[in-house]
Amino acid sequence: MSDLLVHDQEGVRFLTLNRVAKKNALTSHFYAELADAFEAAVAESSVRVLVIQGHETVFSAGNDIADFIQRPPHDGEAPVFRFLRAVSACPKPVMAAVAGPAVGIGTTMLLHCDLVYAGDNALLSMPFVNLGLCPEAASSLLVPQRLGHVRAAQMLMLGEPIDAATALEWGLVNAVLPPTEVNAHVERMALKLASKPVDSVMTTKRLLKQAHAQDVAQRIVDEAQQFGRLMAEPAAQQAFAAFMTKRN
Ligand code: COA
């Protein structure tokens, strides 16, 4: 069974993260599937809206740490960067349904989505510092822009998670619903969005994002350099080793 399920409904392409036994942790293979799916959806004129969704118990545990150790991204063409470019620069509207834990890139990818709906069990965290790492996916730019510096520091420097109610209060999600209803709600909203004039919707998205689009692309590259450097340092190596020891 594929890690990513893809289906279409009335102009909406649904991408469902489907590695639930591993909490939808993202391997390089999984990133490649996501990047391919985004590129295909952008190329197909019949697709007007994209939806990323997980399971009602988990959105994503972020990078698959075991895979990350075995296959660290070596250059800008690594699947993780292909995915980040695809989601951050997607010209079509992207919506997300997030329930349960959303760790690391599970949260940072939401910053690039246009509409985000959360289950009341959602727990958003970006614990990069706890792993000896630093922000990615332009989160060092977008989180302080969206939340202000002290809340950004709470999430990105202390590595504290926030629950769904806080995410709503802080403007990271549009609404909070029971976890069993969040995917269905996003489906309704996506069909509604897909029924609107496509050029108008895409032009509006481009205009909303225009002020920061270049900065976002550059920040993803800058963060990746620091992330790569920190990965080789003892703090990250020890954090990865501790995770692997717990698993075995
Ligand atoms: N990378 C690799 N495997 C992961 C993973 C990750 N990021 N997150 C979870 N898994 C695996 C676990 O090793 C476990 O595998 P096993 O069943 O073969 O032992 C399985 O997924 C279930 O995880 P578990 O921790 O038992 O589930 P939980 O419900 O108790 O906790 C999380 C869920 C997401 C809170 C927890 O798994 C977690 O904190 N994961 C790490 C998140 C992380 O640090 N990500 C990197 C961010 S940069």
Side-chain angles (χ1 to χ4, degrees):
M1 174 88 71
S2 173
D3 289 340
L4 187 68
L5 303 180
V6 179
H7 77 276
D8 288 347
Q9 189 183 341
E10 295 169 42
V12 181
R13 175 142 306 167
F14 293 88
L15 307 178
T16 305
L17 308 178
N18 183 43
R19 195 173 176 239
V20 178
K22 293 288 184 183
K23 305 291 167 185
N24 288 331
L26 295 158
T27 59
S28 55
H29 174 75
F30 203 162
Y31 283 124
E33 280 194 79
L34 277 162
D36 290 347
F38 263 82
E39 287 164 12
V42 169
E44 287 171 46
S45 59
S46 61
V47 179
R48 298 153 76 100
V49 174
L50 286 85
V51 169
I52 309 177
Q53 59 191 8
H55 188 259
E56 64 197 42
T57 60
V58 63
F59 183 65
S60 173
N63 265 317
D64 184 302
I65 294 175
D67 183 74
F68 204 58
I69 295 168
Q70 280 165 14
R71 279 175 280 273
H74 282 301
D75 58 33
E77 287 313 304
V80 60
F81 296 120
R82 280 186 54 222
F83 168 63
L84 285 179
R85 278 198 296 276
V87 69
S88 64
C90 184
K92 297 183 179 179
V94 182
M95 299 173 60
V98 54
V103 188
I105 200 164
T107 287
T108 60
M109 75 168 86
L110 303 175
L111 302 167
H112 300 284
C113 297
D114 302 297
L115 292 152
V116 181
Y117 296 90
D120 60 23
N121 60 345
L123 200 62
L124 274 50
S125 63
M126 296 175 282
F128 304 113
V129 284
N130 300 342
L131 295 166
L133 299 170
C134 70
E136 37 83 314
S139 54
S140 65
L141 176 70
L142 297 171
V143 177
Q145 259 177 16
R146 302 269 288 271
L147 307 186
H149 182 78
V150 295
R151 285 173 172 169
Q154 185 178 333
M155 293 196 80
L156 287 168
M157 293 173 69
L158 279 177
E160 284 187 1
I162 58 167
D163 61 16
T166 308
L168 181 64
E169 191 195 325
W170 289 5
L172 289 175
V173 304
N174 293 87
V176 177
L177 301 121
T180 50
E181 291 172 25
V182 67
N183 286 11
H185 182 76
V186 170
E187 181 183 309
R188 279 194 300 277
M189 300 309 283
L191 293 173
K192 187 174 175 182
L193 188 55
S195 73
K196 296 185 186 294
V198 63
D199 192 356
S200 183
V201 170
M202 286 174 61
T203 299
T204 301
K205 172 165 182 168
R206 192 174 70 247
L207 291 167
L208 286 173
K209 295 236 168 191
Q210 185 170 297
H212 302 296
Q214 281 185 353
D215 291 344
V216 165
Q218 185 58 48
R219 187 62 66 96
I220 290 172
V221 173
D222 294 347
E223 289 170 343
Q225 272 176 5
Q226 297 303 323
F227 199 98
R229 177 180 68 78
L230 289 166
M231 276 214 26
E233 297 290 330
Q237 293 296 318
Q238 280 160 20
F240 291 157
F243 182 82
M244 296 308 292
T245 310
K246 251 191 290 172
R247 277 165 49 100
N248 296 324

